[in-house]
Amino acid sequence: MSSFDRTIITGVVLLTSVFPVELFSTAPPPPRGSDGQYSGKQGQVVVVKVPHQEEVTEVKGTILNRTVPFFREYRRGEVPGYVGLIGIDMQDEPGTHELAVVVTKGEEVKHLSYNVLVTKEKFNIEHLTLPKDKVDLDDKAVTRWKAEQEQVKQALVENSASRLWRSSFVEPVSGKRTGIFGSVRVMNGQPRNPHNGEDIGAPLGTEVATTNDGVVRLTVDHFFSGKGIFVDHGLGFYSMYFHLSEVLVKEGDLVKAGQVIGKVGATGRATGPHLHWGVKLNGARVNPYALLDLPFSSAAASGMPPASASSAASPVSAGAISAKQ
C-alpha cells in the first residue's frame, strides 16, 4: 500500500469519528410523509407517539419553522415510547405540512418524515365596546406596549430543557367562557387580532390555579393584560394568566397543578372580572381547553419513571391523537 493510499484511509477514518455515520450513507432522504399521517384543526394539539423500547440520545421535529422536542413516556400496558406535542397555531395555513424528525443515537442520525394535515377551524366573531383610550393608543401607550412585548419575548426566549408537567391538566378557574379562543374581535367597530386565549368569567377575587406543574417565569402588570403570570412547563410549553387582581407567586417559584397562584380581577384592558387563560406550545397559540383532553391522565398512575426531557427514539409505528375542545 502506498503512502498516498494510507493517507486517504486515515482521512476517512478521522472524518467518520467526527461526523454522524449517516453522512456517509448512500440512502436517499425519506419520501415526504412516508413515516406517518396526522391531522388536527387550527388551535389544537396533535400528539405523536413513537413506541420504542430502547433509549436514544435525542429526537427533535420541525414543522412550520417550529421545533418539536420529543420526550420519553411510559404507560401501563403499552410499549415505552417517545411523544411529541405539535401545537397547531390558530392562524396556521390549512393544508398538508411536513413534520421532519431527526433521531440521534450516539453518532448515528436518522431522518423521518410525517405529513400533518391542518384543517380550518370556524372561529366566532365578537363585537366589543371599550373606552376609546383602550383601543386607540396614543404614542406613550404604544411605546409602553412595545416595551412590554419585548420584556415577554426576552423572558421566554430560552425554554426549560426538562419536561416539568405531569399527568392531567386542570382548568384554572370555573366559570362561564366569555371570550372564546380564536374569536375575531371587533372593538369599537374596528377589527383586531384574533383572541389568543380563553376568557373565563368569575367573581372578583376568585382563586386562580395553575394548569400543571411548572416554574413561574415572569410576573407582569401590563397595559393590555394587566397583572399576569407566565408559567413555564418545560419543552416549549407555557401557560398565561391575565387580568388578575392579585399575583400570589414570584418569578422562579416552582408550582404544582392546581396550586393557587393568583386571584381573578379586571386589570388591564378588561370590561369586568375574568381570567384570560392562554397557552403557547413551541411558539404556536393553541386553545387551552385542548390541554384537558390530552391522553396523559394514566401516565402518573403507571408506576413507571417520569419522562426524560432529552430522550427520543426511532419510530417503529406511530399514531396521532387530535385533542378535542
Side-chain angles (χ1 to χ4, degrees):
M1 181 183 295
S2 69
S3 60
F4 177 77
D5 292 334
R6 286 195 295 271
T7 300
I8 293 296
I9 292 173
T10 302
V12 170
V13 171
L14 289 174
L15 285 172
T16 305
S17 67
V18 173
F19 293 105
V21 297
E22 193 180 73
L23 293 180
F24 295 89
S25 172
T26 58
R32 176 169 168 169
S34 59
D35 296 290
Q37 311 289 324
Y38 306 92
S39 66
K41 288 185 177 182
Q42 292 169 322
Q44 295 299 302
V45 178
V46 174
V47 180
V48 178
K49 184 170 183 180
V50 179
H52 201 277
Q53 289 280 7
E54 299 177 359
E55 292 193 17
V56 297
T57 308
E58 182 184 59
V59 64
K60 285 186 179 180
T62 303
I63 182 170
L64 293 165
N65 296 317
R66 296 191 290 266
T67 299
V68 179
F70 282 65
F71 56 87
R72 184 81 162 156
E73 194 212 16
Y74 299 85
R75 189 78 60 89
R76 180 182 289 125
E78 296 183 11
V79 176
Y82 298 82
V83 169
L85 302 183
I86 301 175
I88 302 179
D89 189 84
M90 61 199 305
Q91 292 185 306
D92 278 344
E93 187 71 23
T96 299
H97 304 276
E98 183 184 26
L99 169 65
V101 177
V102 178
V103 178
T104 305
K105 183 178 181 180
E107 295 181 349
E108 298 180 8
V109 176
K110 184 175 183 179
H111 294 270
L112 305 167
S113 178
Y114 303 87
N115 279 338
V116 178
L117 175 63
V118 174
T119 57
K120 189 173 181 60
E121 180 65 280
K122 185 178 181 180
F123 295 119
N124 296 333
I125 298 178
E126 292 182 306
H127 293 268
L128 301 175
T129 301
L130 297 171
K132 190 175 186 298
D133 63 343
K134 293 292 186 180
V135 178
D136 300 319
L137 305 185
D138 58 23
D139 291 342
K140 183 178 180 181
V142 169
T143 299
R144 174 184 171 181
W145 171 75
K146 288 182 177 179
E148 291 170 349
Q149 292 293 101
E150 184 61 26
Q151 178 193 15
V152 172
K153 180 180 177 181
Q154 292 301 319
L156 308 186
V157 69
E158 291 188 11
N159 300 325
S160 292
S162 299
R163 171 189 165 191
L164 305 178
W165 57 271
R166 294 291 183 270
S167 188
S168 301
F169 292 79
V170 299
E171 189 178 25
V173 68
S174 179
K176 181 180 179 181
R177 294 165 65 184
T178 58
I180 308 302
F181 174 84
S183 298
V184 177
R185 293 187 149 183
V186 181
M187 299 182 177
N188 298 353
Q190 303 177 37
R192 298 289 175 169
N193 291 329
H195 191 220
N196 60 8
E198 286 279 353
D199 288 344
I200 307 172
L204 186 70
T206 301
E207 293 182 338
V208 174
T210 183
T211 188
N212 213 312
D213 297 4
V215 58
V216 177
R217 188 62 61 204
L218 182 66
T219 61
V220 300
D221 189 354
H222 283 173
F223 182 84
F224 286 120
S225 56
K227 294 181 179 180
I229 302 169
F230 294 77
V231 177
D232 178 359
H233 302 282
L235 300 181
F237 166 40
Y238 292 90
S239 61
M240 290 81 77
Y241 312 82
F242 296 156
H243 305 302
L244 304 174
S245 60
E246 294 183 54
V247 172
L248 303 179
V249 290
K250 63 183 183 298
E251 294 173 9
D253 282 354
L254 298 176
V255 294
K256 294 292 185 181
Q259 178 180 332
V260 175
I261 59 175
K263 295 185 178 181
V264 169
T267 56
R269 186 166 73 178
T271 57
H274 73 281
L275 171 70
H276 173 102
W277 178 28
V279 167
K280 273 194 172 184
L281 179 57
N282 299 313
R285 299 161 297 174
V286 301
N287 188 336
Y289 278 100
L291 303 179
L292 304 186
D293 289 325
L294 290 177
F296 298 108
S297 59
S298 63
S302 67
M304 299 296 288
S308 169
S310 61
S311 298
S314 174
V316 174
S317 61
I321 304 171
S322 296
K324 298 176 290 183
Q325 180 173 334

Coordinates of all heavy atoms in Angstrom, one line a residue, residues 229-308:
I229 N -49.3 36.3 35.0 CA -48.3 35.3 35.3 C -48.0 34.5 34.1 O -49.0 34.0 33.4 CB -48.8 34.4 36.5 CG1 -49.1 35.3 37.7 CG2 -47.8 33.4 36.8 CD1 -49.9 34.5 38.8
F230 N -46.8 34.2 33.8 CA -46.3 33.3 32.8 C -45.7 32.1 33.5 O -44.7 32.3 34.2 CB -45.3 33.9 31.9 CG -45.9 35.1 31.0 CD1 -46.1 36.3 31.6 CD2 -46.1 34.9 29.7 CE1 -46.6 37.3 30.8 CE2 -46.6 35.9 28.9 CZ -46.9 37.1 29.4
V231 N -46.2 30.9 33.3 CA -45.7 29.7 33.8 C -45.0 28.8 32.7 O -45.7 28.5 31.7 CB -46.8 28.8 34.6 CG1 -46.2 27.5 35.1 CG2 -47.4 29.7 35.7
D232 N -43.8 28.4 33.0 CA -43.0 27.6 32.0 C -43.2 26.2 32.5 O -42.8 25.8 33.6 CB -41.6 28.0 32.1 CG -40.6 27.2 31.2 OD1 -41.1 26.3 30.5 OD2 -39.4 27.5 31.2
H233 N -43.8 25.3 31.6 CA -44.0 23.9 31.9 C -42.9 23.0 31.3 O -43.0 21.8 31.4 CB -45.4 23.5 31.5 CG -46.5 24.3 32.1 ND1 -46.9 24.1 33.4 CD2 -47.2 25.3 31.6 CE1 -47.9 24.9 33.7 NE2 -48.1 25.7 32.6
G234 N -42.0 23.6 30.6 CA -40.9 22.9 30.0 C -41.1 22.5 28.6 O -42.3 22.3 28.1
L235 N -40.0 22.3 27.8 CA -40.0 21.8 26.5 C -40.9 22.7 25.6 O -41.6 22.3 24.7 CB -40.5 20.4 26.4 CG -39.7 19.3 27.1 CD1 -40.3 18.0 26.9 CD2 -38.2 19.4 26.7
G236 N -40.8 24.0 25.8 CA -41.5 25.0 24.9 C -43.0 25.2 25.2 O -43.7 25.8 24.4
F237 N -43.5 24.7 26.4 CA -44.9 24.8 26.7 C -45.1 25.9 27.9 O -44.5 25.7 28.9 CB -45.4 23.4 27.2 CG -46.8 23.4 27.9 CD1 -47.8 24.3 27.4 CD2 -47.0 22.6 28.9 CE1 -49.0 24.3 28.1 CE2 -48.2 22.6 29.6 CZ -49.2 23.4 29.2
Y238 N -45.9 26.9 27.6 CA -46.1 28.0 28.5 C -47.7 28.2 28.7 O -48.4 28.0 27.8 CB -45.6 29.3 28.1 CG -44.1 29.4 28.0 CD1 -43.4 29.0 26.9 CD2 -43.3 29.8 29.1 CE1 -42.0 29.0 26.9 CE2 -41.9 29.8 29.1 CZ -41.3 29.4 28.0 OH -39.9 29.5 27.9
S239 N -48.0 28.5 29.9 CA -49.4 28.9 30.2 C -49.4 30.4 30.8 O -48.5 30.7 31.5 CB -50.2 28.0 31.1 OG -49.5 27.9 32.4
M240 N -50.4 31.1 30.4 CA -50.5 32.5 30.9 C -51.8 32.8 31.6 O -52.9 32.3 31.2 CB -50.4 33.5 29.7 CG -49.0 33.5 29.1 SD -48.6 32.1 27.9 CE -49.5 32.6 26.5
Y241 N -51.8 33.7 32.6 CA -53.0 34.0 33.4 C -53.0 35.6 33.5 O -52.1 36.1 34.2 CB -52.9 33.3 34.7 CG -52.5 31.9 34.6 CD1 -51.2 31.5 34.5 CD2 -53.5 30.9 34.7 CE1 -50.9 30.1 34.3 CE2 -53.2 29.5 34.5 CZ -51.9 29.2 34.4 OH -51.5 27.8 34.2
F242 N -54.0 36.2 32.9 CA -54.0 37.7 32.9 C -55.2 38.3 33.5 O -56.2 37.6 33.9 CB -54.0 38.1 31.4 CG -52.8 37.7 30.6 CD1 -52.8 37.6 29.2 CD2 -51.6 37.5 31.3 CE1 -51.7 37.3 28.5 CE2 -50.4 37.2 30.6 CZ -50.5 37.1 29.2
H243 N -55.2 39.6 33.7 CA -56.2 40.5 34.3 C -56.4 40.2 35.8 O -57.5 40.4 36.3 CB -57.5 40.3 33.5 CG -57.4 40.6 32.1 ND1 -57.0 41.8 31.6 CD2 -57.7 39.8 31.0 CE1 -57.0 41.7 30.3 NE2 -57.4 40.5 29.9
L244 N -55.4 39.7 36.5 CA -55.5 39.3 37.9 C -55.7 40.5 38.8 O -55.1 41.6 38.5 CB -54.3 38.4 38.3 CG -54.1 37.2 37.5 CD1 -52.7 36.5 37.9 CD2 -55.2 36.2 37.6
S245 N -56.4 40.3 39.9 CA -56.4 41.4 40.9 C -55.2 41.2 41.9 O -54.7 42.2 42.4 CB -57.7 41.3 41.7 OG -57.8 40.0 42.4
E246 N -54.7 40.0 42.0 CA -53.6 39.7 42.9 C -52.7 38.6 42.3 O -53.2 37.7 41.7 CB -54.0 39.2 44.3 CG -54.7 40.3 45.1 CD -55.0 39.7 46.5 OE1 -54.1 39.3 47.2 OE2 -56.2 39.7 46.9
V247 N -51.4 38.8 42.4 CA -50.4 37.8 42.0 C -49.8 37.2 43.3 O -49.2 38.0 44.1 CB -49.3 38.4 41.1 CG1 -48.2 37.4 40.8 CG2 -49.9 38.9 39.8
L248 N -49.9 35.9 43.5 CA -49.5 35.3 44.7 C -48.3 34.5 44.6 O -47.9 33.7 45.6 CB -50.7 34.4 45.2 CG -52.0 35.1 45.4 CD1 -53.1 34.1 45.9 CD2 -51.9 36.2 46.4
V249 N -47.6 34.6 43.5 CA -46.3 33.9 43.3 C -45.3 34.9 42.8 O -45.6 36.0 42.4 CB -46.4 32.7 42.3 CG1 -47.2 31.6 43.0 CG2 -47.0 33.2 41.0
K250 N -44.0 34.5 42.8 CA -43.0 35.4 42.3 C -42.1 34.6 41.3 O -42.2 33.3 41.2 CB -42.1 35.9 43.4 CG -41.3 34.8 44.2 CD -40.5 35.5 45.4 CE -39.7 34.4 46.1 NZ -40.5 33.4 46.7
E251 N -41.4 35.3 40.5 CA -40.6 34.7 39.4 C -39.6 33.7 40.1 O -38.9 34.0 41.1 CB -39.9 35.8 38.6 CG -40.8 36.6 37.8 CD -40.1 37.8 37.2 OE1 -38.9 37.9 37.2 OE2 -40.9 38.7 36.7
G252 N -39.5 32.5 39.5 CA -38.6 31.5 39.9 C -39.3 30.5 40.8 O -38.7 29.4 41.1
D253 N -40.5 30.7 41.3 CA -41.3 29.8 42.1 C -41.6 28.5 41.4 O -42.1 28.6 40.2 CB -42.6 30.4 42.7 CG -42.3 31.4 43.8 OD1 -41.2 31.5 44.3 OD2 -43.3 32.0 44.3
L254 N -41.5 27.4 42.0 CA -42.0 26.1 41.5 C -43.4 26.0 41.9 O -43.8 26.2 43.0 CB -41.1 24.9 42.0 CG -39.7 24.9 41.6 CD1 -38.9 23.7 42.2 CD2 -39.5 24.9 40.0
V255 N -44.3 25.6 40.9 CA -45.7 25.5 41.2 C -46.2 24.1 40.8 O -45.6 23.5 39.9 CB -46.6 26.6 40.5 CG1 -46.2 27.9 41.1 CG2 -46.3 26.6 39.0
K256 N -47.3 23.6 41.4 CA -47.9 22.3 41.2 C -49.2 22.5 40.5 O -49.9 23.5 40.7 CB -48.0 21.5 42.5 CG -46.7 21.1 43.1 CD -45.9 20.1 42.2 CE -44.6 19.6 42.9 NZ -43.9 18.7 42.0
A257 N -49.7 21.5 39.8 CA -51.0 21.6 39.2 C -52.1 21.8 40.2 O -52.1 21.1 41.3 CB -51.3 20.3 38.4
G258 N -52.9 22.8 40.0 CA -54.0 23.1 41.0 C -53.6 24.0 42.1 O -54.5 24.4 42.9
Q259 N -52.3 24.4 42.1 CA -51.9 25.4 43.1 C -52.4 26.8 42.8 O -52.4 27.2 41.7 CB -50.4 25.4 43.2 CG -49.8 26.4 44.2 CD -48.3 26.4 44.2 OE1 -47.7 25.4 43.9 NE2 -47.7 27.5 44.6
V260 N -52.9 27.5 43.9 CA -53.4 28.8 43.7 C -52.2 29.8 43.5 O -51.3 29.8 44.3 CB -54.3 29.3 44.9 CG1 -54.7 30.7 44.7 CG2 -55.5 28.4 45.1
I261 N -52.3 30.5 42.4 CA -51.2 31.4 42.0 C -51.6 32.9 41.9 O -50.8 33.8 41.9 CB -50.5 31.0 40.7 CG1 -51.5 31.0 39.5 CG2 -49.8 29.7 40.8 CD1 -50.9 30.7 38.2
G262 N -52.9 33.1 41.9 CA -53.5 34.5 41.8 C -54.9 34.5 42.0 O -55.6 33.5 42.4
K263 N -55.5 35.7 41.8 CA -57.0 35.9 42.0 C -57.5 36.7 40.8 O -56.9 37.6 40.3 CB -57.3 36.6 43.3 CG -56.9 35.8 44.6 CD -57.3 36.5 45.8 CE -56.9 35.7 47.1 NZ -57.3 36.3 48.3
V264 N -58.8 36.3 40.5 CA -59.4 36.9 39.3 C -59.6 38.4 39.6 O -59.9 38.9 40.7 CB -60.8 36.3 39.1 CG1 -61.7 37.1 38.1 CG2 -60.7 34.9 38.6
G265 N -59.4 39.2 38.5 CA -59.5 40.7 38.6 C -60.0 41.2 37.3 O -60.5 40.5 36.4
A266 N -59.8 42.5 37.1 CA -60.2 43.2 35.9 C -59.2 44.3 35.5 O -59.5 45.3 35.0 CB -61.6 43.9 36.1
T267 N -57.9 43.9 35.8 CA -56.8 44.9 35.5 C -56.5 44.8 34.0 O -56.8 43.9 33.3 CB -55.6 44.5 36.3 OG1 -55.2 43.1 36.0 CG2 -55.8 44.7 37.8
G268 N -55.8 45.9 33.5 CA -55.5 46.0 32.1 C -56.7 46.3 31.3 O -57.6 47.0 31.7
R269 N -56.8 45.8 30.0 CA -57.9 46.1 29.2 C -59.0 45.0 29.4 O -58.9 43.9 28.9 CB -57.5 46.1 27.7 CG -58.7 46.5 26.8 CD -58.3 46.9 25.4 NE -57.9 45.7 24.6 CZ -57.5 45.7 23.3 NH1 -57.4 46.9 22.7 NH2 -57.2 44.6 22.7
A270 N -59.9 45.3 30.3 CA -60.9 44.4 30.7 C -62.2 45.1 31.0 O -62.2 46.2 31.5 CB -60.5 43.6 31.9
T271 N -63.4 44.5 30.6 CA -64.7 45.1 30.8 C -65.3 44.7 32.1 O -66.3 45.2 32.5 CB -65.6 44.8 29.7 OG1 -65.7 43.4 29.6 CG2 -65.1 45.4 28.4
G272 N -64.7 43.7 32.8 CA -65.2 43.2 34.1 C -64.3 42.0 34.5 O -63.4 41.6 33.8
P273 N -64.5 41.5 35.8 CA -63.7 40.5 36.3 C -63.7 39.2 35.5 O -64.8 38.7 35.2 CB -64.3 40.2 37.7 CG -65.1 41.5 38.0 CD -65.6 42.0 36.7
H274 N -62.6 38.7 35.1 CA -62.5 37.5 34.4 C -61.0 37.1 34.4 O -60.1 37.9 34.6 CB -63.1 37.6 33.0 CG -62.2 38.3 32.1 ND1 -62.2 39.7 32.0 CD2 -61.3 37.9 31.1 CE1 -61.4 40.1 31.1 NE2 -60.8 39.1 30.5
L275 N -60.8 35.8 34.0 CA -59.4 35.3 33.8 C -59.2 35.1 32.3 O -60.0 34.4 31.6 CB -59.2 34.0 34.5 CG -57.9 33.3 34.2 CD1 -56.7 34.0 34.8 CD2 -57.9 31.8 34.7
H276 N -58.1 35.6 31.8 CA -57.7 35.3 30.4 C -56.7 34.2 30.6 O -55.6 34.4 31.2 CB -57.1 36.5 29.7 CG -56.4 36.1 28.4 ND1 -57.0 36.4 27.2 CD2 -55.2 35.5 28.1 CE1 -56.3 36.0 26.2 NE2 -55.2 35.4 26.7
W277 N -57.0 33.0 30.1 CA -56.1 31.8 30.2 C -55.5 31.6 28.8 O -56.3 31.3 27.8 CB -56.9 30.6 30.7 CG -56.2 29.3 30.8 CD1 -54.8 29.2 31.0 CD2 -56.7 28.0 30.7 NE1 -54.5 27.8 31.1 CE2 -55.7 27.1 30.9 CE3 -58.0 27.6 30.5 CZ2 -55.9 25.7 30.9 CZ3 -58.3 26.2 30.5 CH2 -57.2 25.3 30.7
G278 N -54.2 31.6 28.6 CA -53.6 31.4 27.3 C -52.6 30.3 27.4 O -52.0 30.0 28.5
V279 N -52.2 29.8 26.2 CA -51.2 28.7 26.1 C -50.4 28.9 24.9 O -51.0 29.2 23.8 CB -51.9 27.3 26.1 CG1 -50.9 26.2 25.7 CG2 -52.4 27.0 27.5
K280 N -49.1 28.7 25.0 CA -48.3 28.6 23.8 C -47.5 27.3 23.9 O -46.9 27.0 24.9 CB -47.3 29.8 23.7 CG -47.8 31.0 23.0 CD -46.8 32.0 22.7 CE -47.3 33.2 21.8 NZ -46.2 34.1 21.4
L281 N -47.5 26.6 22.7 CA -46.8 25.4 22.6 C -45.8 25.4 21.5 O -46.2 25.5 20.3 CB -47.8 24.2 22.4 CG -47.2 22.8 22.3 CD1 -46.4 22.4 23.5 CD2 -48.3 21.8 22.1
N282 N -44.5 25.5 21.9 CA -43.4 25.7 20.9 C -43.7 26.8 19.9 O -43.5 26.7 18.7 CB -43.2 24.4 20.1 CG -42.8 23.3 21.1 OD1 -41.9 23.4 21.9 ND2 -43.4 22.1 21.0
G283 N -44.2 27.9 20.5 CA -44.5 29.1 19.7 C -45.8 29.2 19.1 O -46.2 30.3 18.6
A284 N -46.6 28.1 19.1 CA -48.0 28.1 18.5 C -49.0 28.5 19.6 O -49.0 28.0 20.7 CB -48.3 26.8 17.9
R285 N -49.9 29.4 19.2 CA -51.0 29.7 20.1 C -52.1 28.7 19.9 O -52.7 28.5 18.9 CB -51.6 31.1 19.7 CG -50.5 32.2 19.8 CD -50.9 33.4 19.0 NE -51.0 33.1 17.6 CZ -51.5 34.0 16.7 NH1 -51.9 35.2 17.0 NH2 -51.5 33.7 15.4
V286 N -52.4 27.9 21.0 CA -53.3 26.9 21.0 C -54.5 27.1 22.0 O -54.3 27.8 23.0 CB -52.7 25.5 21.2 CG1 -51.6 25.2 20.2 CG2 -52.1 25.4 22.6
N287 N -55.6 26.4 21.8 CA -56.7 26.5 22.7 C -56.4 25.9 24.0 O -56.1 24.7 24.0 CB -57.9 25.8 22.0 CG -59.2 26.1 22.8 OD1 -59.2 26.3 24.0 ND2 -60.3 25.9 22.1
P288 N -56.4 26.6 25.1 CA -56.0 26.0 26.4 C -56.9 24.8 26.8 O -56.5 23.9 27.5 CB -56.1 27.1 27.4 CG -56.9 28.2 26.7 CD -56.7 28.1 25.3
Y289 N -58.2 24.8 26.3 CA -59.1 23.7 26.7 C -58.7 22.4 26.0 O -59.1 21.3 26.4 CB -60.5 24.1 26.4 CG -61.1 24.9 27.5 CD1 -61.2 26.3 27.4 CD2 -61.5 24.3 28.7 CE1 -61.8 27.0 28.4 CE2 -62.1 25.1 29.7 CZ -62.2 26.4 29.6 OH -62.7 27.2 30.6
A290 N -57.8 22.5 24.9 CA -57.3 21.3 24.3 C -56.4 20.5 25.2 O -56.3 19.3 25.1 CB -56.6 21.7 23.0
L291 N -55.8 21.2 26.2 CA -55.0 20.5 27.2 C -55.7 19.5 28.0 O -55.2 18.5 28.4 CB -54.3 21.5 28.1 CG -53.4 22.6 27.4 CD1 -52.9 23.5 28.5 CD2 -52.3 22.0 26.6
L292 N -57.0 19.8 28.3 CA -57.8 19.0 29.2 C -58.0 17.6 28.6 O -58.4 16.7 29.4 CB -59.1 19.7 29.6 CG -58.9 21.1 30.2 CD1 -60.3 21.6 30.7 CD2 -57.9 21.1 31.4
D293 N -57.9 17.5 27.3 CA -58.2 16.2 26.7 C -56.9 15.4 26.2 O -57.0 14.4 25.6 CB -59.1 16.4 25.4 CG -60.5 16.8 25.8 OD1 -61.0 16.3 26.8 OD2 -61.1 17.6 25.1
L294 N -55.8 16.0 26.6 CA -54.5 15.2 26.3 C -54.5 13.9 27.0 O -54.9 13.8 28.2 CB -53.3 16.1 26.6 CG -53.1 17.3 25.7 CD1 -51.9 18.1 26.2 CD2 -52.9 17.0 24.3
P295 N -54.0 12.9 26.3 CA -54.1 11.5 26.9 C -53.0 11.1 27.8 O -52.2 10.2 27.6 CB -54.1 10.6 25.6 CG -53.2 11.4 24.7 CD -53.5 12.9 24.9
F296 N -52.8 11.9 28.9 CA -51.7 11.6 29.8 C -52.2 11.3 31.2 O -51.4 11.3 32.1 CB -50.7 12.8 29.8 CG -50.1 13.0 28.5 CD1 -50.4 14.2 27.8 CD2 -49.1 12.2 28.0 CE1 -49.8 14.4 26.5 CE2 -48.5 12.4 26.8 CZ -48.8 13.5 26.1
S297 N -53.5 11.2 31.4 CA -54.1 11.1 32.8 C -53.6 9.8 33.4 O -53.5 9.7 34.7 CB -55.6 11.1 32.7 OG -56.1 10.0 31.9
S298 N -53.3 8.8 32.7 CA -52.9 7.5 33.3 C -51.4 7.4 33.5 O -50.9 6.5 34.0 CB -53.3 6.3 32.4 OG -52.7 6.4 31.1
A299 N -50.6 8.4 32.9 CA -49.2 8.3 33.0 C -48.7 8.3 34.4 O -47.8 7.5 34.8 CB -48.5 9.4 32.2
A300 N -49.3 9.2 35.3 CA -48.8 9.3 36.6 C -49.1 8.0 37.4 O -48.4 7.7 38.4 CB -49.5 10.5 37.3
A301 N -50.2 7.3 37.0 CA -50.5 6.1 37.7 C -49.8 4.8 37.2 O -50.1 3.7 37.7 CB -52.1 5.9 37.6
S302 N -49.0 5.0 36.2 CA -48.4 3.9 35.6 C -47.3 3.2 36.5 O -47.0 2.0 36.2 CB -47.7 4.3 34.3 OG -46.6 5.1 34.5
G303 N -46.8 3.9 37.5 CA -45.8 3.4 38.3 C -44.4 3.3 37.6 O -43.5 2.7 38.2
M304 N -44.3 3.9 36.5 CA -43.1 3.9 35.7 C -42.3 5.2 36.0 O -42.9 6.2 36.5 CB -43.3 3.7 34.2 CG -44.0 2.4 33.9 SD -43.1 1.0 34.3 CE -41.8 1.1 33.0
P305 N -41.0 5.3 35.6 CA -40.3 6.5 35.8 C -40.8 7.7 35.0 O -41.5 7.5 34.0 CB -38.9 6.1 35.3 CG -38.8 4.6 35.3 CD -40.2 4.2 35.1
P306 N -40.6 8.9 35.5 CA -41.1 10.1 34.7 C -40.4 10.2 33.4 O -39.4 9.6 33.1 CB -40.8 11.3 35.6 CG -39.6 10.8 36.4 CD -39.8 9.3 36.6
A307 N -41.0 11.1 32.5 CA -40.4 11.3 31.2 C -39.1 11.9 31.3 O -38.8 12.7 32.1 CB -41.4 12.1 30.4
S308 N -38.2 11.6 30.3 CA -36.9 12.2 30.2 C -37.0 13.3 29.2 O -37.5 13.2 28.1 CB -35.9 11.2 29.8 OG -34.7 11.8 29.4

